[in-house]
Amino acid sequence: MKKIPHRLYLTEEQMPKQWYNLRADMKELPDPMLNPATFQPVSEEDLYPIFCKQLAHQEMDGTTRYIDIPEEIQDFYKMYRPSPLIRAFNLEKALGTPAKIYYKFEGNNTSGSHKLNSAIAQAYYAKEQGLTSLTTETGAGQWGTALAEACSYYNLPLTVYMVKCSYEQKPFRKAIIETFDGHIVASPSSTTNAGRKILEKDPNTTGSLGCAISEAVEKAVTTEGCRYVLGSVLNQVLLHQSIIGLESKTAMEMLDEYPDIVIGCAGGGSNLGGLIAPFMQDKLTGKASPRIIAVEPASCPSLTRGRYAYDFCDTGRVTPLARMYTLGCGFIPSANHAGGLRYHGMSPILSKLYHDGYMEAVSVEQTKVFEAATLFAKQETILPAPESSHAIRAAIDEALKCKETGEAKTILFGLTGTGYFDMNAYSSYLNGTMTDTVPTDEELEKAFGELPKIPGIQ
Amino acid sequence: MKKIPHRLYLTEEQMPKQWYNLRADMKELPDPMLNPATFQPVSEEDLYPIFCKQLAHQEMDGTTRYIDIPEEIQDFYKMYRPSPLIRAFNLEKALGTPAKIYYKFEGNNTSGSHKLNSAIAQAYYAKEQGLTSLTTETGAGQWGTALAEACSYYNLPLTVYMVKCSYEQKPFRKAIIETFDGHIVASPSSTTNAGRKILEKDPNTTGSLGCAISEAVEKAVTTEGCRYVLGSVLNQVLLHQSIIGLESKTAMEMLDEYPDIVIGCAGGGSNLGGLIAPFMQDKLTGKASPRIIAVEPASCPSLTRGRYAYDFCDTGRVTPLARMYTLGCGFIPSANHAGGLRYHGMSPILSKLYHDGYMEAVSVEQTKVFEAATLFAKQETILPAPESSHAIRAAIDEALKCKETGEAKTILFGLTGTGYFDMNAYSSYLNGTMTDTVPTDEELEKAFGELPKIPGIQ
């Protein structure tokens, strides 16, 4: 048994030089995306107007197991990676648990989260193709910040459609995205047809990721040399984020450890899909059988209360359809919900794995999440993002179960980022005004009623 | 020549187990502190009502070269240290300089800065002595956050007097300090005699560190079981911060590098004193002769425009007197000045070294500082604190000189922290409303006129 340090950093030589494509090891691939006009499976070429070519290729590639990380991206990664694998000695002590808790901390870069891992890859491929601008959406703002950083690095003009309630809750996110030359539009806006239609229907809407995606896609396809990029949900994003899991696994091997339980928060699935990738590989290939747990907010419970169905990826119904766990593309989580994890659907890869029984899911209420967040901050000296704190909550709950049973399980969770821009939410938790807003069954049934009808499929 | 990684982390085994006390190698010690009533040199015992005993001892100890870091503090350090030494490859490229630029990054912990290094030490010694509460002041808020973290770790109630203009500029600092159970009072306040006196004289004052110190000291000496702690200026703080320099030197040795120039921002001197400690040792003992540069804001230029004189450490004139470069304890920097580095004086150790010619000093205007900050952020993916960006400015200027002369000098600077709570300042820079407010000679002469008269000395 080796001496366990508090923080383990790999050396640059140990950093992954390839991403891992989880689809190559899945028994059954996720169902194909469908063209929204014809309901036929989309081809790689169908995606070219939306995504740059290399990313469209990565999106469709279900067979190549390992994909080389271009050297330029490796060099960029070295500016902020490897991220540390941290043993939560103090949290364990505070809980009095025999469990060993590890977390992979992705917050040590200015985007404040893991989002930079895919942002730099997407900006790189766009630049390589000679594109001249990009659009995207952002919810909590971490993705918008990460992409602004990446685009600023490559001198690529960027327009960010930011979900209106986040835009209002987080004034300083605007400033940091602008520091990296990003142009921000509060969504829904009157700058696009999709935005105008949504505003016409509900002028007071607080917005949703689905609305913002519609606007960003419309802007991309109607602008010369412009493409759209997305920070989660997509296969390509999970591919880029596999670096989180690959580093984690190497680090745990150095410590002669293997997780009994792997836990990640889940909104669109980018962090969870990346963290679990090599552990899910072990599970799919019969090498190991860790429990894998997705943690989602009770206010936006796509896995635990959604339908596994074909749905649009956006609210304006212009994107291809994906089969995924979804609350319906018109679902808008309560504006009381702080932070991100507010997407109506879930990564098709993760949806399929969950559907096929390889993964568990739990939902947690945000007051319980912030209780975990403040305990964690005091013990581990890191102020976690609300999103990441969903994983902390579940990790604490599993560690407390170990306390009851006396089992010394090894728990690994993803600490995706920091909460410096979420102080309004922390304040509302501290002063007791934070509430939990969970959708009623009736609200969900109504949203499900608007799922697209697809002849012969659903 | 070894391969230079982007980021070098020492292992836990390589982390310093002792702090280095720079005074032990100084040819002449700084002049002693004086009792404000008798003008006689203070004894260790004189300090007991203000500081806990171990810290009073460290404050007075000018001879012990190395001081063991208690194991409990070493363990806490391991939660967020070692901090990385980073090679600024991208910044070098953007500047087109032959210089090699390294920086020691202290921002990867929730306090967002190096301040935690001394905060945890001071909280530890207070707890060890059985004290039941602490008080302090904070300017930009980094020290207040760090100490709140440390006190929360040891369950020590903490009251933080926060300079009023920072309190108003940085609403979220309040929330984060409260997350760690710190109690915040905007200073000057009506909760102390010192505060009431200052408010009576100028009801609209925006406050200063000197005012806040007066209030925090008064509260400490009038409360049972309470002591005062300070985040900069003091000998004990520079001692704790020596871990920055010790780690930096070890890391540079591993790279077969030695800095030609060491650069740090300077407010009270905690970061600069810590960073330069082992390099200054080499200079004092004749082993090497690096240039050492303090960078201060033009709006609060204690080294470059101050007097080397005995002065009070606070505005209310209740603390012992220290001989240091000072602008006068009544000096209040313009409220336009963003961020920290707003103390009227400078660490007596650094003042003495500067006076004796071992160190250079420059002052920079904040618009130039933010210009450097945004360039750095875009190239290095770290959003620097305004304070730290003073050092970036000077490092860039030195690197540009190298570009002119063609010299490949090795530059090391201290990147003390991150700017996530300074987005108001970034916004005002970006939208062009940031101004530079430099005190006039008349204003300084007026402040110097209020320096204390000490019979037989000044």
Side-chain angles (χ1 to χ4, degrees):
Chain A
M1 180 78 173
K2 297 186 185 163
K3 186 176 179 301
I4 305 287
H6 287 67
R7 297 194 155 209
L8 181 63
Y9 290 94
L10 305 182
T11 63
E12 286 186 2
E13 288 68 37
Q14 292 174 305
M15 281 175 66
K17 292 175 181 54
Q18 297 181 309
W19 293 304
Y20 165 58
N21 184 3
L22 184 51
R23 282 167 291 170
D25 285 309
M26 287 172 74
K27 307 289 175 208
E28 282 178 33
L29 285 179
D31 292 293
M33 276 193 283
L34 301 182
N35 183 306
T38 63
F39 295 134
Q40 293 303 304
V42 297
S43 68
E44 186 178 315
E45 290 70 25
D46 286 345
L47 296 176
Y48 288 173
I50 306 180
F51 301 132
C52 80
K53 287 179 185 178
Q54 266 301 322
L55 293 169
H57 181 72
Q58 291 180 357
E59 191 61 29
M60 301 298 287
D61 183 350
T63 53
T64 312
R65 186 168 282 113
Y66 293 99
I67 293 174
D68 287 343
I69 306 174
E71 213 153 301
E72 219 172 295
I73 298 177
Q74 287 188 45
D75 278 345
F76 190 93
Y77 280 165
K78 286 176 190 161
M79 277 205 289
Y80 69 99
R81 306 195 67 82
S83 69
L85 179 77
I86 306 179
R87 174 75 181 269
F89 283 118
N90 283 327
L91 181 63
E92 290 171 16
K93 208 163 94 183
L95 297 174
T97 178
K100 294 183 279 184
I101 306 176
Y102 290 91
Y103 55 99
K104 178 72 167 167
F105 180 39
E106 292 285 322
N108 275 351
N109 68 77
T110 280
S111 80
S113 80
H114 67 295
K115 296 283 187 182
L116 196 53
N117 301 331
S118 184
I120 191 62
Q122 297 195 49
Y124 166 81
Y125 288 120
K127 190 74 180 179
E128 201 196 23
Q129 188 177 320
L131 297 177
T132 49
S133 68
L134 292 176
T135 70
T136 196
E137 77 299 317
T138 198
Q142 293 185 328
W143 168 249
T145 307
L147 190 64
E149 276 191 69
C151 285
S152 146
Y153 187 74
Y154 282 119
N155 284 314
L156 266 173
L158 169 70
T159 303
V160 180
Y161 292 87
M162 187 167 184
V163 177
K164 198 184 276 173
C165 65
S166 283
Y167 181 92
E168 285 161 2
Q169 275 172 10
K170 301 186 171 187
F172 293 161
R173 272 288 176 201
K174 188 168 175 289
I176 190 167
I177 291 173
E178 287 172 348
T179 299
F180 290 99
D181 301 331
H183 172 61
I184 304 186
V185 181
S187 169
S189 76
S190 56
T191 66
T192 62
N193 286 328
R196 283 188 291 270
K197 250 189 236 169
I198 292 161
L199 282 173
E200 212 168 275
K201 209 172 146 191
D202 180 5
N204 299 317
T205 179
T206 50
S208 72
L209 269 183
C211 304
I213 292 173
S214 297
E215 295 203 79
V217 170
E218 179 181 326
K219 170 85 175 172
V221 299
T222 56
T223 305
E224 181 70 25
C226 184
R227 293 293 185 283
Y228 165 72
V229 295
L230 179 60
S232 192
V233 185
L234 298 173
N235 301 334
Q236 58 188 273
V237 177
L238 269 69
L239 174 72
H240 305 149
Q241 295 295 358
S242 66
I243 193 166
I244 304 174
L246 294 168
E247 281 186 11
S248 300
K249 198 172 171 215
T250 303
M252 293 203 84
E253 282 167 1
M254 288 170 66
L255 302 171
D256 292 333
E257 289 275 23
Y258 194 90
D260 297 301
I261 312 174
V262 184
I263 299 171
C265 63
S270 69
N271 141 71
L272 182 68
L275 174 68
I276 67 174
F279 302 106
M280 186 59 88
Q281 179 182 34
D282 289 347
K283 200 160 179 169
L284 289 164
T285 57
K287 282 193 198 142
S289 54
R291 284 177 63 202
I292 291 177
I293 306 176
V295 192
E296 56 184 17
S299 56
C300 194
S302 58
L303 286 174
T304 51
R305 294 177 70 199
R307 293 270 170 88
Y308 188 51
Y310 268 106
D311 197 4
F312 292 96
C313 297
D314 70 323
T315 305
R317 298 174 171 242
V318 300
T319 63
L321 295 120
R323 189 160 181 220
M324 58 185 177
Y325 279 87
T326 177
L327 299 165
C329 66
F331 180 80
I332 295 187
S334 163
N336 288 337
H337 171 66
L341 310 182
R342 46 173 68 245
Y343 187 59
H344 66 273
M346 179 60 66
S347 143
I349 292 177
L350 295 180
S351 291
K352 176 70 177 163
L353 290 167
Y354 179 59
H355 187 68
D356 291 350
Y358 290 100
M359 213 171 86
E360 305 165 40
V362 294
S363 76
V364 286
E365 297 183 346
Q366 68 177 349
T367 48
K368 290 286 180 191
V369 166
F370 276 84
E371 182 190 58
T374 49
L375 171 65
F376 181 85
K378 288 180 195 175
Q379 294 302 322
E380 296 290 317
T381 79
I382 296 172
L383 187 85
E387 299 82 33
S388 328
S389 304
H390 287 71
I392 297 175
R393 175 76 263 168
I396 288 176
D397 290 343
E398 291 295 331
L400 290 175
K401 280 184 212 161
C402 288
K403 188 177 179 180
E404 282 191 19
T405 62
E407 290 170 287
K409 287 189 181 164
T410 300
I411 299 170
L412 167 66
F413 74 86
L415 188 72
T416 55
T418 49
Y420 302 122
F421 291 93
D422 301 284
M423 295 319 300
N424 276 334
Y426 271 93
S427 288
S428 76
Y429 172 72
L430 291 172
N431 67 26
T433 57
M434 175 173 279
T435 56
D436 292 305
T437 312
V438 177
T440 63
D441 288 340
E442 291 68 35
E443 282 165 343
L444 291 187
E445 283 305 322
K446 188 170 164 247
F448 295 147
E450 289 171 26
L451 284 172
K453 308 284 176 276
I454 305 173
I457 298 184
Q458 69 188 33
Chain B
M1 182 78 174
K2 296 185 186 164
K3 183 175 181 308
I4 305 286
H6 287 66
R7 298 195 153 207
L8 182 64
Y9 290 95
L10 305 182
T11 63
E12 286 186 0
E13 289 66 38
Q14 290 174 308
M15 282 175 65
K17 292 174 182 56
Q18 297 181 309
W19 293 303
Y20 166 59
N21 185 3
L22 184 52
R23 283 166 291 171
D25 285 307
M26 287 173 73
K27 308 286 174 209
E28 282 179 33
L29 285 178
D31 293 293
M33 277 193 283
L34 301 182
N35 183 307
T38 65
F39 296 133
Q40 293 305 304
V42 297
S43 67
E44 185 177 317
E45 290 70 24
D46 287 344
L47 295 176
Y48 288 172
I50 306 180
F51 302 132
C52 81
K53 288 180 184 176
Q54 266 301 324
L55 293 169
H57 181 72
Q58 290 180 358
E59 192 60 30
M60 301 298 286
D61 183 350
T63 53
T64 312
R65 185 168 282 111
Y66 292 99
I67 293 174
D68 287 342
I69 305 174
E71 213 152 303
E72 218 172 296
I73 298 176
Q74 287 190 45
D75 277 345
F76 189 93
Y77 280 165
K78 286 175 190 161
M79 276 205 289
Y80 68 100
R81 305 197 69 81
S83 69
L85 179 77
I86 306 179
R87 174 76 182 268
F89 283 117
N90 283 326
L91 181 62
E92 290 171 18
K93 208 162 95 184
L95 296 173
T97 177
K100 292 183 280 183
I101 307 176
Y102 289 91
Y103 55 99
K104 178 74 167 166
F105 179 40
E106 292 285 322
N108 275 350
N109 69 77
T110 280
S111 80
S113 80
H114 67 294
K115 296 282 187 182
L116 195 53
N117 301 332
S118 184
I120 191 62
Q122 296 195 48
Y124 166 81
Y125 288 121
K127 189 74 182 181
E128 200 196 24
Q129 189 178 319
L131 297 178
T132 49
S133 67
L134 293 175
T135 70
T136 196
E137 77 298 316
T138 198
Q142 292 185 328
W143 168 248
T145 307
L147 190 64
E149 275 190 70
C151 285
S152 148
Y153 187 74
Y154 283 120
N155 283 315
L156 266 173
L158 169 70
T159 303
V160 180
Y161 292 87
M162 186 166 184
V163 177
K164 198 184 276 173
C165 64
S166 282
Y167 181 91
E168 285 161 2
Q169 274 171 10
K170 302 187 173 188
F172 293 161
R173 272 288 175 202
K174 186 167 177 289
I176 192 167
I177 292 173
E178 287 172 347
T179 299
F180 290 100
D181 300 332
H183 173 62
I184 305 186
V185 180
S187 170
S189 76
S190 56
T191 66
T192 62
N193 286 327
R196 283 187 292 270
K197 251 189 234 168
I198 292 162
L199 282 172
E200 212 167 275
K201 209 172 148 194
D202 181 4
N204 299 318
T205 178
T206 51
S208 72
L209 268 182
C211 302
I213 292 173
S214 298
E215 294 203 79
V217 170
E218 179 181 327
K219 169 85 175 172
V221 299
T222 57
T223 305
E224 180 71 25
C226 183
R227 292 294 185 282
Y228 164 71
V229 295
L230 179 60
S232 192
V233 185
L234 299 172
N235 301 335
Q236 58 189 274
V237 176
L238 269 67
L239 175 72
H240 306 148
Q241 295 295 358
S242 67
I243 193 166
I244 305 173
L246 294 168
E247 281 187 8
S248 300
K249 198 174 172 213
T250 302
M252 294 204 82
E253 282 166 1
M254 289 170 66
L255 303 171
D256 293 333
E257 290 275 24
Y258 193 91
D260 298 302
I261 311 175
V262 184
I263 299 171
C265 63
S270 69
N271 141 71
L272 182 69
L275 174 69
I276 68 174
F279 304 104
M280 186 60 87
Q281 179 182 33
D282 288 347
K283 198 160 181 170
L284 289 163
T285 58
K287 282 192 198 145
S289 54
R291 284 177 63 202
I292 292 178
I293 307 176
V295 193
E296 56 184 18
S299 56
C300 193
S302 58
L303 285 174
T304 50
R305 295 178 68 199
R307 294 271 171 87
Y308 188 50
Y310 268 106
D311 196 5
F312 293 95
C313 297
D314 69 324
T315 306
R317 299 173 169 243
V318 300
T319 63
L321 295 121
R323 189 160 181 220
M324 57 185 175
Y325 280 86
T326 177
L327 298 165
C329 67
F331 179 81
I332 294 188
S334 163
N336 289 337
H337 170 66
L341 310 181
R342 45 174 68 245
Y343 187 59
H344 65 272
M346 180 59 66
S347 143
I349 292 177
L350 295 181
S351 291
K352 177 70 176 161
L353 290 167
Y354 178 60
H355 187 69
D356 291 350
Y358 290 100
M359 212 170 85
E360 306 165 39
V362 294
S363 76
V364 286
E365 297 183 347
Q366 67 177 352
T367 46
K368 291 285 180 192
V369 167
F370 276 85
E371 181 190 59
T374 49
L375 171 65
F376 180 84
K378 288 179 196 176
Q379 294 303 323
E380 296 290 317
T381 79
I382 295 171
L383 187 87
E387 300 82 33
S388 328
S389 305
H390 287 72
I392 296 174
R393 175 76 263 168
I396 288 176
D397 290 344
E398 291 295 332
L400 290 175
K401 280 184 212 160
C402 288
K403 188 178 178 177
E404 284 191 17
T405 62
E407 290 171 288
K409 287 189 182 165
T410 300
I411 299 170
L412 167 66
F413 74 88
L415 187 72
T416 56
T418 50
Y420 303 121
F421 291 92
D422 302 283
M423 295 318 301
N424 276 335
Y426 271 93
S427 287
S428 76
Y429 172 72
L430 290 173
N431 67 27
T433 58
M434 177 173 277
T435 56
D436 292 306
T437 313
V438 178
T440 63
D441 288 341
E442 292 67 33
E443 282 165 341
L444 290 185
E445 283 305 322
K446 188 170 166 246
F448 294 147
E450 290 170 25
L451 283 171
K453 308 281 175 279
I454 305 172
I457 298 183
Q458 68 187 35

